[in-house]
């Protein structure tokens, strides 16, 4: 039986233990022994001879693979340098967990006009705009700014972390999360905000299952292909699409994608699908 770590930042595992238990149960169906591990349990470094090492609770450790639910590219890269396969890999981690990098990487694909403010950048020339942290998730500190005062308050709430702001799409307050497993589209969930522009399920967004239509699927396939060609295979990810003037545009790509809302509105067992794909690649 292959031994895999399910790797979390401590604060994230504290609120995702049910998913951890589900992954352990589903792993048994595929010959995988899955062990939840928190970052506080690990020591990483390099030996005097320049070789990477990892210790779990003070003991040298090297799992057969890692299902990464943490967002630090350095950690994923270190494990890969030890010869440990990481799902999703460090390239995905680096590209998805800074929204500015995601936008740069997806150059040429439709997305809202986006600004990367530098130190001392002036307010946007036109309002309204959506202000958000560059490196957050789950709708954290996302704000609609209608004027310069609201923009400054939103920026202050994010500081000293990097921020970005975007043009407000014409159909703000709704988006489509397309779930991807092993580089293939599984299904989608449409999210709508009860009020305002933040549609995240854990923040009260309404959700229903939505099979991607032809334009939505075509755009998501272009994203998947772009990642694949960059050596960043999407083993388990979410592609979030927004809507502007009736057309889908790219919102972001979620590396550590949540599935709570999918289980809420469908019978799909995406954890089992994911682990089936992982087990086959490790045979």
């Amino acid at each position: 039986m292959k031994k895999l770590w399910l790797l979390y930042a401590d604060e994230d595992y504290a609120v995702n233990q049910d998913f951890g238990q589900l992954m352990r149960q589903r792993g048994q169906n595929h010959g995988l022994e899955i062990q939840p591990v928190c970052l506080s349990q690990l020591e990483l470094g390099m030996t005097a001879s320049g070789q990477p090492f990892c210790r779990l609770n003070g003991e040298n450790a090297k799992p057969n693979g890692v299902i990464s639910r943490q967002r630090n590219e350095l950690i994923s890269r270190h494990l890969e340098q030890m010869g440990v396969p990481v799902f999703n890999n460090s390239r995905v981690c680096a590209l998805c967990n800074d929204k500015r990098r995601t936008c740069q990487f997806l150059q040429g694909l439709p997305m809202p006009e986006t600004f990367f403010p530098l130190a001392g950048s002036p307010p946007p020339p036109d309002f309204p705009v959506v202000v958000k942290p560059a490196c957050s998730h789950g709708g954290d500190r996302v704000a609609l700014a209608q004027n310069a005062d609201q923009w400054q308050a939103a920026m202050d709430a994010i500081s000293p972390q990097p921020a970005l702001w975007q043009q407000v799409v014409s159909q703000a307050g709704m988006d489509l999360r397309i779930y991807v497993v092993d580089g293939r589209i599984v299904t989608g969930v449409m999210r709508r905000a009860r009020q305002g522009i933040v549609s995240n399920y854990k923040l009260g967004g309404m959700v229903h299952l939505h099979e991607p239509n032809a334009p939505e699927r075509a755009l998501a396939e272009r994203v998947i292909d772009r990642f694949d060609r960059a050596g960043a295979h999407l083993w388990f990810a979410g592609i979030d699409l927004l809507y502007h003037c009736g057309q889908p545009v790219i919102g972001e790509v979620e590396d550590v994608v949540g599935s709570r809302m999918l289980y809420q509105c469908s019978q799909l067992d995406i954890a089992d699908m994911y682990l089936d794909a992982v087990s086959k690649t490790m045979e």
Side-chain angles (χ1 to χ4, degrees), residues 168-207:
V168 180
V169 295
S170 61
Q171 292 163 273
M174 63 174 284
D175 68 1
L176 175 64
R177 163 71 53 81
I178 294 181
Y179 283 92
V180 178
V181 173
D182 191 12
R184 294 187 294 272
I185 294 172
V186 175
T187 191
V189 173
M190 190 69 76
R191 309 186 293 188
R192 296 179 185 269
R194 293 185 184 274
Q195 58 182 5
I197 61 166
V198 180
S199 61
N200 298 73
Y201 178 60
K202 72 176 184 180
L203 298 180
M206 300 176 290
V207 300

Side-chain angles (χ1 to χ4, degrees), residues 51-52 62-66 76-86 282:
Q51 298 303 311
K62 184 179 177 182
N64 297 116
V66 169
S76 295
R77 179 62 181 150
H78 188 88
L79 293 164
E80 290 167 351
Q81 287 183 308
M82 293 177 61
V84 178
V86 179
M282 297 187 68

Side-chain angles (χ1 to χ4, degrees), residues 132-145:
K132 59 181 71 174
C135 303
S136 71
H137 59 279
D140 175 42
R141 289 168 291 168
V142 174
L144 177 65

Side-chain angles (χ1 to χ4, degrees), residues 184-244:
R184 294 187 294 272
I185 294 172
V186 175
T187 191
V189 173
M190 190 69 76
R191 309 186 293 188
R192 296 179 185 269
R194 293 185 184 274
Q195 58 182 5
I197 61 166
V198 180
S199 61
N200 298 73
Y201 178 60
K202 72 176 184 180
L203 298 180
M206 300 176 290
V207 300
H208 68 269
L209 200 66
H210 174 91
E211 186 61 30
N213 61 29
E216 293 160 350
R217 181 173 290 272
L219 182 53
E221 293 284 7
R222 293 177 72 186
V223 173
I224 293 167
D225 180 66
R226 181 76 60 91
F227 272 82
D228 262 345
R229 287 188 285 113
H233 188 66
L234 297 178
W235 282 99
F236 183 30
I239 299 172
D240 293 348
L241 302 183
L242 307 173
Y243 295 89
H244 189 61

Side-chain angles (χ1 to χ4, degrees), residues 41-227:
Q41 297 174 266
L42 296 183
E43 296 174 78
L44 305 178
M46 307 295 289
T47 67
S49 61
Q51 298 303 311
F53 68 80
C54 174
R55 298 188 183 113
L56 174 61
N57 297 323
E59 300 291 332
N60 289 332
K62 184 179 177 182
N64 297 116
V66 169
I67 297 171
S68 178
R69 304 291 289 176
Q70 58 84 39
R71 297 176 173 85
N72 188 320
E73 181 266 344
L74 183 145
I75 293 169
S76 295
R77 179 62 181 150
H78 188 88
L79 293 164
E80 290 167 351
Q81 287 183 308
M82 293 177 61
V84 178
V86 179
F87 311 92
N88 294 313
N89 69 19
S90 60
R91 181 74 169 137
V92 176
C93 187
L95 290 169
C96 292
N97 289 298
D98 185 327
K99 296 174 177 64
R100 299 165 301 179
R101 289 190 179 188
T102 309
C103 290
Q104 290 175 334
F105 177 66
L106 297 177
Q107 174 185 351
L109 300 184
M111 63 184 72
E113 187 172 39
T114 304
F115 296 82
F116 307 154
L118 306 176
S121 290
D126 298 300
F127 289 97
V129 295
V130 177
V131 183
K132 59 181 71 174
C135 303
S136 71
H137 59 279
D140 175 42
R141 289 168 291 168
V142 174
L144 177 65
Q146 300 279 7
N147 53 52
D149 288 341
Q150 292 179 357
W151 169 83
Q152 189 62 61
M155 293 292 288
D156 288 345
I158 296 169
S159 180
Q161 298 175 16
L164 58 80
W165 63 80
Q166 293 180 314
Q167 169 196 26
V168 180
V169 295
S170 61
Q171 292 163 273
M174 63 174 284
D175 68 1
L176 175 64
R177 163 71 53 81
I178 294 181
Y179 283 92
V180 178
V181 173
D182 191 12
R184 294 187 294 272
I185 294 172
V186 175
T187 191
V189 173
M190 190 69 76
R191 309 186 293 188
R192 296 179 185 269
R194 293 185 184 274
Q195 58 182 5
I197 61 166
V198 180
S199 61
N200 298 73
Y201 178 60
K202 72 176 184 180
L203 298 180
M206 300 176 290
V207 300
H208 68 269
L209 200 66
H210 174 91
E211 186 61 30
N213 61 29
E216 293 160 350
R217 181 173 290 272
L219 182 53
E221 293 284 7
R222 293 177 72 186
V223 173
I224 293 167
D225 180 66
R226 181 76 60 91
F227 272 82

